[in-house]
Structures are given as C-alpha cells and as structure tokens.
Amino acid sequence: MSPAHHGGAVVGWLPVLVLLAAALVVYAGAARRARRAPRGWSGLRTASFAAGVVLLAAALSPAVVQGAHHDPRGHMLQHLVIGMYAPLALVLAAPVTLALRTMAPAWRRRAARLLRSRALHVLGHPVTALLLDIGGLYLVHLTPVYAAMQASPAVHALVNLHYFAAGYLFAWAVAGPDPAPRRPGTPTRLAVLFAAVAAHSLLAKLLYAYPGTWPPGADHAAAMGEAAKLMYYGGDLAEVLLAVALFAAWYRRRGRRFAARRPVPAAGGP
Amino acid sequence: MAAARGDGGGGARFGRSLAAAAVIGIGLMAAVDEIVFHQILAWHHFYDRSTPAVALLSDGLLHAGELIALVAGFFLFADLCRRRALHRRAAWAGLLLGLGCFQLFDGVIDHKVLRLHQVRYGVDLLPYDLAWNGAAVLLLVAGAAATWWARRAPGAGATARPR
C-alpha cells in the first residue's frame, strides 16, 4: 500500500470518527437528562450505544478498510461488525425511546407522526427488513457487485453503508426495544429470524463450497473459504444474540401480564 | 415435590414442561454435535464438498432451527420456573426425548438420507453408525420410560393425570 493511499484512508476516517463521537455525545447528554427524570434510564443502554460506536469506529479504521478492500476475510469481518454486531448494540440502546423522552413536545409530535406513517410501517416490516438485509448480502456475493467493490473504494463505502442501514433496520424490526407501530407479533418475527439465519448460513456454505465461482470475478479465491467460515460462525453468534433479545422482550411482557393477573388467585388461595 | 404442585398459578404444567425441555434437548444435542464432533474431534467438517447442492439448503434450515431452539427452550423453561409451573420429572423426560430425537434425526436424515457428511472418514463406518444411532435409541427409550414414570408419580401435579 502506498503511503499516499494510506494517508487518504486516514483522512477518510476522520469525518466518520467525528460523526460517531458526536452521536455518542448527544446520546450521553440525553441519557443524563433521562436519568434525572422519574422513569430513569438504564446505564446498560448507554453502555450498549458506546459499544456500538466503538465497533463501528474499529470496523471503519484505515487498517481494517484497506485489509477488507483486498482480502475477503477482512470484508467478511466488516460485514459482521458493521452489518450485525454494531447495529444490534445500537438498536438495544433504544435511541428513539431516549429521543422521545428528552425532546421538546413539538419535535415529539413530529416524531410520533413519522412513526405512524405508512411508509415507515412498510419499511419497518420484518419481511421488508429481511429482504433488504439478506437480499443485499446475496446481491454483493453472487453478482458482479463484489468485483466492482474490489475495484472502487466508493462502491465499497456504499456497500458498507447498506450493510449498516439494513442491519439496523433488521435488528429493530425483529427485536428492537424502540417503538415500532403495527409491528407483527412474536411468531412472525421468529419466522423471519429463522429465515434470516437459514439464508445467512446457506450463503456462507455456498461461498465455502464454490470458492472459484462465487463471488464472480473476485480475487483471492483461496481466502474465500476462510471468509465463509468466518461468516458462518460469526453470524451464528450475532443471530443467537438477536434471538436472545427477541425472547427476552417476550419474557418481560409475559412477566408483566402474569404479575397483573397474580393478585386474583393469591386472594382466594390457601 | 413442592415445585411440581405450583402455588396457585395453575399448578404444574406437564405438557409445557416436557415440551420446553425437549426443545432444549434438541438444541443441546445439536450444539454437542457441532462443538465435540465438528470442532474438537474434527471427525467431520463444516461441509465436505461431496454432497448435492440441495443438502446445503436443508442444512441451513436445520442450523437455523437448532440455534433458535436453544434460545426458545431456555426462555420457555425460565417462564415456567418463574410461574412455579415447572413439572420437574416431565422436564427430565422431555430433555432425554429431545436429545434422542436430534441424535436419531442427525444419524438417519443428515448422514444417510441427505448424505450431508458421515460420522467419520477413512474408516469402516458401520460401528460408528451403530454407536451413533444406538445412543439415539437408548436416549429415546430412557425418555419414554421417564415420561411414563413422570405421569404415574405421586404428587405429579393436577395436569399430570388427565385420565
């Protein structure tokens, strides 16, 4: 790698770092205000947001970006961190809930109108999120997009942006604690998660089984097998965490329902 | 067994306890297969490249099922514990049935019907297949016996004796 190229990557990283740091400062400030309110704000949510920001900063650092540009293992690592782990950490931090609690009433009304909009219901449906997230992954790995990404850092940046946006949308639609009006019930979301896990591991095995064929026009076919394994096992852990988030929400809701019913049998009990 | 009787929350739930533990058993055996035989012993691998493409799809579905089964089973189990509705003996029976079911499914469908991979390579397969599926049958028999025992046990809970 030429020093000039490397210098370019560092300069490209700076705005990302500034943006991420700004997001963290805004979140932490709002969390401080929410903590003082009677309902409070969990420190775990703040820690989750910080973890998401750190993961994104690391995955977009010059060293990783350069590695990812020329090595399928590096690219797969970026997919896992940018598209799965960081979005999950940010979604679990419930930034929308925090915003709704701390915003001025006028802004809150605007946000509520947006949350009730039909476009958001369609976009935020778990099936839409599944198609955008896993569909995008298939598109990158089974079409010439992968070769285009190797040829152009701009295309690579766009792919990363898509990974992040689609990964966030998917985690929010399936297991997000933030408000999601008209979100389908747990069985539908579980079915979507099941389809996503199956499709993700199927793609990993396809890449492993046919390293010379897919992605078309890719360099370094030899490293693709390693990248596929990384995708398979790394994806597992992220999907287990997502399933835990989904079931933990179910468990909490059920606990509240049980607690609400409980006084009746206790009164007539032995 | 105090836990089996419950505390006014509807009593012990025989079927739910059995099902929740069976779901855990299925996920657990799948995890044992993945960790012990794939990773530690490396007897069979990630995917051995010898099988038809359709096996990849079925394997992806199976894999998704085992991951979600493990998480779902633990949360169903935790919910029963919290409501003091856990029927302990039914849960043990369910765990054994779940373990045996997955082992037999893996040994017959994955290894023989789909030929995804075999227990081991470069050796006479027969003793390995017999041990694999024999272990599955033993687990299932133990699970069936435990179910019978749980249904007959005194103080097994109101829903334990439907007849």
Side-chain angles (χ1 to χ4, degrees):
Chain A
M1 211 35 54
S2 69
H5 197 152
H6 191 260
V10 172
V11 170
W13 192 36
L14 282 178
V16 174
L17 273 187
V18 170
L19 205 68
L20 287 172
L24 188 56
V25 166
V26 169
Y27 185 98
R32 247 171 75 97
R33 261 203 290 163
R35 269 186 104 82
R36 280 190 294 242
R39 286 180 77 182
W41 189 255
S42 165
L44 281 177
R45 294 222 189 275
T46 310
S48 184
F49 195 86
V53 165
V54 169
L55 281 175
L56 276 182
L60 293 168
S61 68
V64 176
V65 167
Q66 305 235 321
H69 199 49
H70 297 277
D71 186 332
R73 284 167 298 190
H75 174 73
M76 204 53 85
L77 196 68
Q78 277 199 314
H79 151 60
L80 290 172
V81 175
I82 297 175
M84 297 176 100
Y85 291 97
L88 182 61
L90 295 178
V91 161
L92 291 181
V96 177
T97 305
L98 181 63
L100 286 172
R101 283 207 203 155
T102 50
M103 274 188 309
W107 280 99
R108 206 176 303 154
R109 272 194 297 279
R110 257 169 248 172
R113 208 175 311 133
L114 181 69
L115 282 171
R116 278 197 303 268
S117 70
R118 179 182 272 283
L120 196 76
H121 297 163
V122 174
L123 186 70
H125 193 281
V127 173
T128 318
L130 173 77
L131 290 176
L132 286 172
D133 193 34
I134 302 290
L137 207 56
Y138 272 71
L139 215 61
V140 167
H141 287 96
L142 302 185
T143 69
V145 170
Y146 194 90
M149 192 185 74
Q150 279 189 321
S152 148
V155 175
H156 200 151
L158 276 179
V159 166
N160 279 340
L161 191 65
H162 174 81
Y163 278 171
F164 177 71
Y168 189 94
L169 183 71
F170 185 73
W172 168 66
V174 167
D178 271 336
R182 289 170 180 253
R183 177 156 67 184
T186 304
T188 307
R189 284 184 279 152
L190 203 56
V192 165
L193 180 61
F194 176 82
V197 177
H200 196 265
S201 60
L202 169 63
L203 182 61
K205 291 209 172 191
L206 272 180
L207 294 177
Y208 185 81
Y210 306 99
T213 315
W214 286 314
D219 303 335
H220 306 94
M224 192 46 85
E226 288 300 309
K229 276 199 207 177
L230 197 61
M231 181 181 195
Y232 187 82
Y233 293 114
D236 268 11
L237 183 59
E239 283 146 358
V240 165
L241 292 175
L242 200 55
V244 167
L246 174 60
F247 276 103
W250 170 84
Y251 185 76
R252 268 198 307 275
R253 273 199 311 278
R254 214 175 145 79
R256 276 200 295 270
R257 230 183 312 160
F258 182 56
R261 268 207 318 262
R262 206 172 158 76
V264 182
Chain B
M1 265 195 3
R5 257 178 254 118
D7 67 343
R13 306 289 297 270
F14 188 91
R16 284 185 83 99
S17 302
L18 190 107
V23 170
I24 294 178
I26 290 169
L28 213 55
M29 190 50 99
V32 165
D33 181 40
E34 186 117 6
I35 293 163
V36 176
F37 291 99
H38 290 237
Q39 318 264 1
I40 298 176
L41 294 175
W43 275 4
H44 45 246
H45 306 105
F46 183 64
Y47 167 64
D48 70 11
R49 291 203 177 109
S50 67
T51 48
V54 68
L56 287 178
L57 174 65
S58 74
D59 199 39
L61 293 173
L62 179 70
H63 184 71
E66 82 191 36
L67 276 187
I68 291 175
L70 209 52
V71 179
F74 272 110
F75 274 99
L76 288 171
F77 191 79
D79 186 53
L80 284 166
C81 288
R82 174 170 67 182
R83 294 161 51 197
R84 307 211 179 180
L86 181 73
H87 190 299
R88 279 167 198 263
R89 295 181 188 194
W92 281 112
L95 185 69
L96 289 168
L97 287 173
L99 291 170
C101 271
F102 181 81
Q103 182 84 342
L104 193 66
F105 177 86
D106 195 37
V108 175
I109 305 291
D110 283 350
H111 295 175
K112 296 301 151 197
V113 177
L114 296 172
R115 306 194 71 79
L116 225 49
H117 52 241
Q118 299 301 325
V119 180
R120 206 170 176 184
Y121 293 88
V123 292
D124 179 19
L125 261 180
L126 188 66
Y128 285 96
D129 279 340
L130 283 179
W132 193 275
N133 293 314
V137 171
L138 274 182
L139 283 167
L140 284 174
V141 169
T147 310
W148 180 78
W149 174 61
R151 277 206 183 278
R152 292 179 50 94
T159 50
R161 289 183 295 266
R163 276 156 290 182

